């Protein structure tokens, strides 16, 4: 499978998501892409990309990680492949050929979606559903639009494959205050956010663990061809 998908680089948010992708690649003997841990959030990511070494034209970048659902159609553990990302009325498309090839490699398990990129954590269920309806978006993350805008301008092909870690029926803790300005997570503030909403925290942890396991499996499936 990997022979017709020459992916040069996988970008994945630092921490648990990065570790899950690395675990998925750990037993693979064929040539595997470079895996790069990226900061969380739009501004930190842009700053990071502007310093980075990702700009070899004709290269292919796969962005992986977890995301939140904005629609009843997608629940925890679902694998989604982005067609495009919207942010404040603007839209950026993923590379169609690349997306189609990925889709055919994991087709029985993956849904094509529209994504919203947000500069903060969308934690309340009513807000998720409202955003999903008003913007006709299926999922939300904090990096997609920034990455697409950057790479599309540079002529680098991008696809995004993510796994849903929280649905739109339940609140999750508001983790925005726990994200440092450099896009890393502050463990102390993260713990406080979790303790403030223990039920939501338990649900988020359970959903994240499920999503990370699926992320590891789909990474392995993609490159074990």
């Amino acid at each position: 499978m990997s022979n017709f998908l020459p992916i040069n680089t996988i970008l994945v948010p630092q921490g648990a998501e990065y570790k899950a992708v690395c675990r998925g690649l750990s037993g693979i003997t064929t040539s595997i892409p470079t895996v790069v841990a990226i900061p969380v959030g739009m501004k930190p990511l842009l700053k990071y990309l502007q310093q980075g070494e990702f700009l070899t034209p004709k290269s292919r970048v796969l962005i992986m990680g977890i995301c939140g659902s904005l629609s009843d159609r997608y629940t925890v553990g679902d694998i989604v492949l982005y067609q495009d990302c919207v942010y404040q009325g603007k839209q950026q498309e993923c590379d169609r050929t690349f997306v189609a090839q990925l889709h055919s490699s994991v087709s029985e398990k993956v849904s094509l979606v529209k994504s919203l990129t947000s500069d903060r954590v969308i934690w309340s269920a009513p807000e998720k559903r409202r955003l999903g309806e008003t913007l006709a978006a299926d999922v939300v993350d904090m990096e997609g639009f920034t990455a697409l805008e950057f790479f599309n301008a540079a002529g680098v092909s991008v696809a995004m494959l993510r796994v849903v870690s929280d649905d739109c029926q339940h609140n999750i803790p508001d983790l925005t205050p726990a994200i440092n300005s450099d896009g890393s997570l502050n463990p102390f503030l993260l713990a406080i956010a979790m303790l403030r909403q223990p039920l939501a925290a338990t649900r988020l942890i359970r959903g994240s663990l499920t999503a990370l396991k699926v992320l590891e499996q789909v990474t392995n499936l993609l490159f074990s061809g």
Side-chain angles (χ1 to χ4, degrees):
M1 209 167 287
S2 46
N3 53 3
F4 82 96
L5 279 178
I7 296 167
N8 308 80
T9 310
I10 296 176
L11 300 185
V12 58
Q14 59 193 28
E17 296 164 81
Y18 173 75
K19 289 185 185 125
V21 168
C22 290
R23 278 197 304 274
L25 292 170
S26 61
I28 289 170
T29 48
T30 49
S31 62
I32 56 171
T34 312
V35 186
V36 180
I38 57 172
V40 172
M42 300 183 73
K43 283 199 181 98
L45 177 61
L46 182 60
K47 194 174 166 190
Y48 178 78
L49 290 174
Q50 285 167 341
Q51 299 160 352
E53 307 301 310
F54 308 110
L55 291 181
T56 33
K58 302 236 184 329
S59 66
R60 286 177 145 195
V61 172
L62 176 61
I63 296 169
M64 300 185 80
I66 58 180
C67 61
S69 173
L70 301 176
S71 157
D72 290 332
R73 290 195 298 280
Y74 304 103
T75 65
V76 172
D78 285 355
I79 304 167
V80 294
L81 190 57
Y82 290 13
Q83 291 175 299
D84 50 49
C85 284
V86 293
Y87 173 70
Q88 293 185 348
K90 295 181 296 220
Q91 183 176 1
Q92 289 284 338
E93 304 259 331
C94 292
D95 183 290
R96 290 183 176 203
T97 313
F98 190 5
V99 170
Q101 287 173 344
L102 281 168
H103 191 241
S104 64
S105 354
V106 278
S107 55
E108 71 284 2
K109 300 184 175 131
V110 67
S111 307
L112 291 167
V113 296
K114 288 179 75 74
S115 168
L116 163 70
T117 300
S118 171
D119 49 16
R120 61 189 171 83
V121 175
I122 308 294
W123 59 271
S124 93
E127 186 180 16
K128 285 189 194 182
R129 291 195 295 272
R130 183 179 60 74
L131 285 169
E133 284 159 21
T134 52
L135 301 171
D138 303 301
V139 296
V140 60
D141 71 44
M142 295 180 70
E143 298 84 27
F145 184 88
T146 301
L148 272 180
E149 191 171 48
F150 179 82
F151 287 121
N152 284 346
V156 173
S157 300
V158 182
M160 294 197 210
L161 186 73
R162 290 191 182 240
V163 180
V164 175
S165 61
D166 50 285
D167 62 29
C168 66
Q169 298 301 325
H170 304 96
N171 293 348
I172 58 169
D174 181 6
L175 303 181
T176 306
I179 301 172
N180 296 325
S181 60
D182 65 355
S184 62
L185 281 171
N186 179 313
F188 178 68
L189 295 176
L190 186 65
I192 290 175
M194 294 289 210
L195 289 168
R196 281 201 180 119
Q197 294 165 284
L199 236 155
T202 307
R203 195 177 285 114
L204 176 66
I205 291 165
R206 201 180 299 136
S208 298
L209 290 172
T210 301
L212 291 165
K213 190 76 202 145
V214 175
L215 184 63
E216 180 184 336
Q217 289 161 349
V218 73
T219 304
N220 188 273
L221 175 72
L222 264 181
F223 294 98
S224 60

